[in-house]
């Protein structure tokens, strides 16, 4: 066997390779069709790692199984070898959930990992593709690393690759390759996608208690939709094989390159088959996962919807049911600014710190690494803890099943008792997608001018018989309590005297498909008699204020949002 040659290929930089909140997302056709687009970005990621750290190090690679993942994985392997990486650990058939990548990075002390996913965005040749780089703590790249990747990408003139290197992603075990001018062979290990992550969960939860819930005399029938993303193998192995749920309680468990032709987004708009199944009343618990397994939606019997902001608050109030938290204690909580303040009320009752961060899971990493935070969540259907450094959909489902087992209650009863005790935060989000970026920018700029004016504080808005008084308004900025870094312009917020809130944000996770503005409305209700109302009815007056202040329909030519969650 001759050593495999290492080639240096000339290229020219692309101007649009600045990673966003969740890495670099583009239309699949851009990665697949633009010459060197993929190679340039992978080289930029690898070059962002200091040369001394890179030589002989270990990296993890996984994907959510979307179209173009296999071809991209092959290129990553060829380029990692050429750039001096010593060992790659890759999931079987290239598949690893985002939580599993985070878990493996931490377990084997890898320098980082590359995840091929565009999360809940559609797959297939006409869909979206994404590349996400996670760092040594297992979490998403912090701003400094993203900036370094972007700087490399702007001046890149060449990349290194071993085009003759071929691996078999379907063969578990170690494969070794001798390269030209390299003393040590390059190693690739294809590992079981589920095993290491399953071991971690075993050490966190009381599997016997969950198994009793799913198989005992009063068994809860569950319905789990993997939405044809990466989570199929995890659901089957963990919920069915390990925890005893019947095989037919898991659906859409075969990973498909186009996710069966629907966006793998676990919300009421796209997970309609789960919603319909739950409305039938046969199941006591339902859940759906997104493509890469970090987001989830939970439904109770008869389709009772658990708002993600409520979900993290209810978890926080019940962490003593989980062995992991009983052993390690609970340090503090964190949520993104746009997430409802339901978690704040639990933190206050438990006398624990509450950190309010910008949107983006990377902001939770420092808090957890420094021992300040045990549980965190975002309104966009993501929750996690310090067991890894990513949001974790299946972990969240096991938390809920553990709470149900401990309290011997159904989903709706748990939620309603939580509201009765802490009050209810009515919450919703309006998404205006695919806007003209200039129109969106000026809308936000003009809105900031309005809410920053001296006259705005104490202003009163009358809608019907409601009067809302502004307590304060600002453009949210975050000073990291660990390293002092400042994140500015993280969203406009208006806080009213009765704990109602409006938030306006430009989203940073799109795939270059225009701009997205999200409007969040929140209203607090202490009175249990008034906690059973329709969310849109309660929030109607606040939404009316938001539309009037922003003039969003007039300025964008839209009649309403694309999505309401």
């Amino acid at each position: 066997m001759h050593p495999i040659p290492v080639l240096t290929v000339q290229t020219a930089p692309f101007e649009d390779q600045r990673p966003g909140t969740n890495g670099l997302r583009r239309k699949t056709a851009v990665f697949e069709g633009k010459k060197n687009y993929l190679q340039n970005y992978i080289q930029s990621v690898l070059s962002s790692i200091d040369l001394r750290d890179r030589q002989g190090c270990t990296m993890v690679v996984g994907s959510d199984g979307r179209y173009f993942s296999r071809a991209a994985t092959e290129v990553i392997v060829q380029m990692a070898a050429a750039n001096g990486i010593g060992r790659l650990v890759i999931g079987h058939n290239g598949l690893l959930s985002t939580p599993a990548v985070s878990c493996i990075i931490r377990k084997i002390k890898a320098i980082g990992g590359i995840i091929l996913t565009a999360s809940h965005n559609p797959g297939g040749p006409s869909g979206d593709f994404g590349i996400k780089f996670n760092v040594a703590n297992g979490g998403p790249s912090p701003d400094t690393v993203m900036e370094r990747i972007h700087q490399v990408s702007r001046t890149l003139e060449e990349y290194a690759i071993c085009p003759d290197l071929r691996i078999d992603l379907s063969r578990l075990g170690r494969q070794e390759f001798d390269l030209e001018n390299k003393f040590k062979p390059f190693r690739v290990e294809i590992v079981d996608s589920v095993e290491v992550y399953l071991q971690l969960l075993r050490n966190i939860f009381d599997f016997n208690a969950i198994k009793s819930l799913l198989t005992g005399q009063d068994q809860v029938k569950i319905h789990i939709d993997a939405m044809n993303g990466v989570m199929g193998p995890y659901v089957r192995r963990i919920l069915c094989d390990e925890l005893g749920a019947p095989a037919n309680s898991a659906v859409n468990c075969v990973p498909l390159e186009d996710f069966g032709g629907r966006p793998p987004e676990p919300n009421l708009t796209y997970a309609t088959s789960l919603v319909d199944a739950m409305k039938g009343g046969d199941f006591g618990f339902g859940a759906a996962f997104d493509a890469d397994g970090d987001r989830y939606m939970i439904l109770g019997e008869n389709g009772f919807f658990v708002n993600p902001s409520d979900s993290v608050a209810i978890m926080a109030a019940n962490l003593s049911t989980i062995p992991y938290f009983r052993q390690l204690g609970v340090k503090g909580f964190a949520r993104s600014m746009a997430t409802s303040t339901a978690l704040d009320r639990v933190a206050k009752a438990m006398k624990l710190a509450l950190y309010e961060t910008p949107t983006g899971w990377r902001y939770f990493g420092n808090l957890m690494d420094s021992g300040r935070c045990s549980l965190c969540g975002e309104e966009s259907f993501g929750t996690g803890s310090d067991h890894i450094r990513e949001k974790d959909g299946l972990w969240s489902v096991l938390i809920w099943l553990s709470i149900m087992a401990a309290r011997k209650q159904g989903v709706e009863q748990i939620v309603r008792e939580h509201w009765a005790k802490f009050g209810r935060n009515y919450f919703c989000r309006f998404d205006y997608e695919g806007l003209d970026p200039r129109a969106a920018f000026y809308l936000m700029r003009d809105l900031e001018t309005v809410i920053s004016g001296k006259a705005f504080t104490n202003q009163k808005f009358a809608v019907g018989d409601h009067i809302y008084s502004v307590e304060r308004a600002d453009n949210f900025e975050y000073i990291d309590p660990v390293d002092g870094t400042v994140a500015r312009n993280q969203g406009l917020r208006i806080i009213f005297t009765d704990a109602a809130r409006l938030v306006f944000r430009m989203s940073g996770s799109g795939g270059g498909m225009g701009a997205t503005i999200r409007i969040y409305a929140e209203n607090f209700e202490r009175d249990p008699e008034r906690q059973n109302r329709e969310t849109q009815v309660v929030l109607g007056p606040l939404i009316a204020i938001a539309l009037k202040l922003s003039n969003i329909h007039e300025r964008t030519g839209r009649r309403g949002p694309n999505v309401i969650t």
Side-chain angles (χ1 to χ4, degrees):
M1 282 292 288
H2 291 293
I4 296 170
V6 178
L7 300 190
T8 301
V9 180
Q10 301 306 303
T11 187
F14 292 96
E15 280 300 301
D16 65 342
Q17 294 199 329
R18 175 192 283 277
T21 309
N22 297 300
L24 186 72
R25 282 189 198 166
R26 294 287 177 265
K27 284 289 179 196
T28 307
V30 174
F31 280 107
E32 192 178 23
K34 261 194 191 177
K35 187 175 195 278
N36 291 339
Y37 195 86
L38 169 71
Q39 289 82 349
N40 274 31
Y41 191 68
I42 297 301
Q43 185 63 60
S44 301
V45 167
L46 294 172
S47 296
S48 76
I49 306 167
D50 195 282
L51 196 61
R52 290 172 310 228
D53 297 333
R54 211 188 314 159
Q55 297 305 319
C57 76
T58 296
M59 283 183 75
V60 181
V61 180
S63 85
D64 63 12
R66 69 180 56 234
Y67 175 79
F68 193 58
S69 293
R70 271 181 182 263
T73 301
E74 192 154 286
V75 170
I76 289 167
V77 173
Q78 293 170 346
M79 291 185 66
N83 279 278
I85 306 288
R87 171 172 74 136
L88 286 185
V89 174
I90 307 177
H92 192 210
N93 294 317
L95 297 175
L96 281 174
S97 72
T98 291
V101 171
S102 186
C103 164
I104 294 170
I105 289 172
R106 293 172 67 79
K107 169 119 178 145
I108 67 175
K109 299 190 167 39
I111 199 162
I114 294 175
I115 312 171
L116 304 175
T117 178
S119 191
H120 52 285
N121 292 22
S126 62
D128 298 338
F129 192 76
I131 302 175
K132 192 174 148 171
F133 178 56
N134 280 26
V135 292
N137 73 349
S141 301
D143 291 345
T144 47
V145 175
M146 294 203 294
E147 192 49 45
R148 213 157 53 229
I149 294 170
H150 181 227
Q151 290 308 334
V152 175
S153 79
R154 289 175 60 188
T155 54
L156 196 71
E157 292 176 357
E158 57 185 41
Y159 62 83
I161 191 164
C162 298
D164 299 344
L165 198 159
R166 293 273 179 266
I167 54 158
D168 182 356
L169 291 172
S170 65
R171 197 176 95 226
L172 287 169
R174 182 185 296 181
Q175 303 166 41
E176 293 204 342
F177 305 89
D178 286 314
L179 310 181
E180 267 180 9
N181 306 329
K182 299 268 196 276
F183 301 117
K184 282 186 171 166
F186 171 68
R187 284 191 3 221
V188 175
E189 286 175 35
I190 309 294
V191 298
D192 183 290
S193 303
V194 183
E195 188 56 43
V196 178
Y197 175 70
L198 168 58
Q199 294 293 0
L200 177 69
L201 295 182
R202 271 203 195 102
N203 293 328
I204 294 173
F205 296 100
D206 179 350
F207 269 29
N208 288 331
I210 301 173
K211 194 168 186 173
S212 300
L213 179 77
L214 300 181
T215 60
Q217 280 177 315
D218 305 318
Q219 77 178 81
V220 172
K221 285 177 73 176
I222 66 173
H223 188 76
I224 310 292
D225 190 342
M227 298 192 86
N228 297 113
V230 79
M231 287 308 290
Y234 294 85
V235 168
R236 282 190 167 148
R237 177 92 166 273
I238 298 170
L239 281 170
C240 301
D241 300 352
E242 282 284 321
L243 294 168
N248 65 0
S249 51
V251 299
N252 298 319
C253 281
V254 177
L256 299 175
E257 290 195 331
D258 68 345
F259 312 117
R262 57 181 179 165
E265 185 160 5
N267 62 25
L268 296 172
T269 307
Y270 294 114
T272 44
S273 58
L274 173 72
V275 174
D276 294 343
M278 292 305 295
K279 280 185 173 159
D282 296 338
F283 303 102
F285 179 90
F289 300 109
D290 72 343
D292 63 322
D294 58 357
R295 297 171 194 241
Y296 69 101
M297 173 173 74
I298 283 174
L299 299 177
E301 199 170 349
N302 303 316
F304 181 86
F305 172 66
V306 181
N307 183 295
S309 295
D310 281 342
S311 182
V312 67
I314 290 162
M315 288 179 186
N318 291 278
L319 284 183
S320 60
T321 62
I322 314 296
Y324 176 87
F325 294 105
R326 282 206 300 274
Q327 283 152 16
L328 295 176
V330 181
K331 301 167 189 112
F333 302 133
R335 63 166 175 83
S336 64
M337 181 272 283
T339 302
S340 94
T341 56
L343 182 61
D344 308 36
R345 296 177 188 282
V346 178
K348 193 174 174 191
M350 293 173 73
K351 298 185 171 56
L352 289 169
L354 185 283
Y355 299 91
E356 186 176 28
T357 68
T359 296
W361 206 260
R362 61 190 183 278
Y363 294 104
F364 297 135
N366 268 358
L367 297 173
M368 292 192 277
D369 289 347
S370 64
R372 283 171 166 82
C373 171
S374 296
L375 175 80
C376 39
E378 297 191 320
E379 44 69 37
S380 53
F381 297 82
T383 326
S385 86
D386 57 357
H387 69 295
I388 53 172
R389 293 296 179 272
E390 281 283 6
K391 44 190 179 264
D392 191 341
L394 187 52
W395 172 90
S396 302
V397 162
L398 294 185
I399 292 267
W400 266 93
L401 292 173
S402 301
I403 295 170
M404 290 170 70
R407 294 181 52 155
K408 299 183 168 48
Q409 290 177 322
V411 173
E412 184 170 349
Q413 195 180 355
I414 291 167
V415 173
R416 291 197 183 283
E417 284 191 12
H418 183 91
W419 290 341
K421 183 175 179 184
F422 293 98
R424 177 175 182 184
N425 292 74
Y426 285 98
F427 180 86
C428 81
R429 174 178 117 186
F430 280 30
D431 293 5
Y432 291 84
E433 298 169 344
L435 302 175
D436 170 40
R438 282 179 61 105
F441 172 82
Y442 287 118
L443 183 154
M444 292 294 285
R445 194 192 67 178
D446 293 348
L447 180 59
E448 182 173 3
T449 306
V450 170
I451 70 164
S452 308
K454 279 214 160 45
F456 191 72
T457 309
N458 302 323
Q459 192 165 332
K460 291 182 168 49
F461 293 91
V463 184
D465 54 353
H466 291 270
I467 295 179
Y468 293 92
S469 300
V470 177
E471 186 173 288
R472 60 195 173 94
D474 63 5
N475 186 338
F476 179 61
E477 74 171 42
Y478 176 67
I479 302 169
D480 190 305
V482 182
D483 61 21
T485 52
V486 181
R488 293 190 171 86
N489 296 316
Q490 295 300 318
L492 306 178
R493 54 182 183 170
I494 304 168
I495 296 156
F496 298 93
T497 49
D498 55 359
R501 286 197 322 160
L502 279 175
V503 173
F504 301 80
R505 283 187 56 240
M506 289 247 289
S507 171
S509 62
M513 285 73 77
T516 297
I517 289 181
R518 305 193 202 280
I519 302 178
Y520 309 80
E522 174 181 1
N523 208 354
F524 179 66
E525 183 53 73
R526 164 60 75 198
D527 180 2
E529 297 297 308
R530 297 173 63 81
Q531 287 174 359
N532 203 9
R533 297 159 70 213
E534 199 57 52
T535 298
Q536 294 302 324
V537 173
V538 173
L539 297 175
L542 273 173
I543 301 283
I545 295 169
L547 298 181
K548 187 178 166 197
L549 275 173
S550 65
N551 255 329
I552 191 163
H553 292 167
E554 294 79 357
R555 297 186 65 152
T556 62
R558 297 291 174 89
R559 292 174 123 154
N562 300 65
V563 183
I564 300 177
T565 42

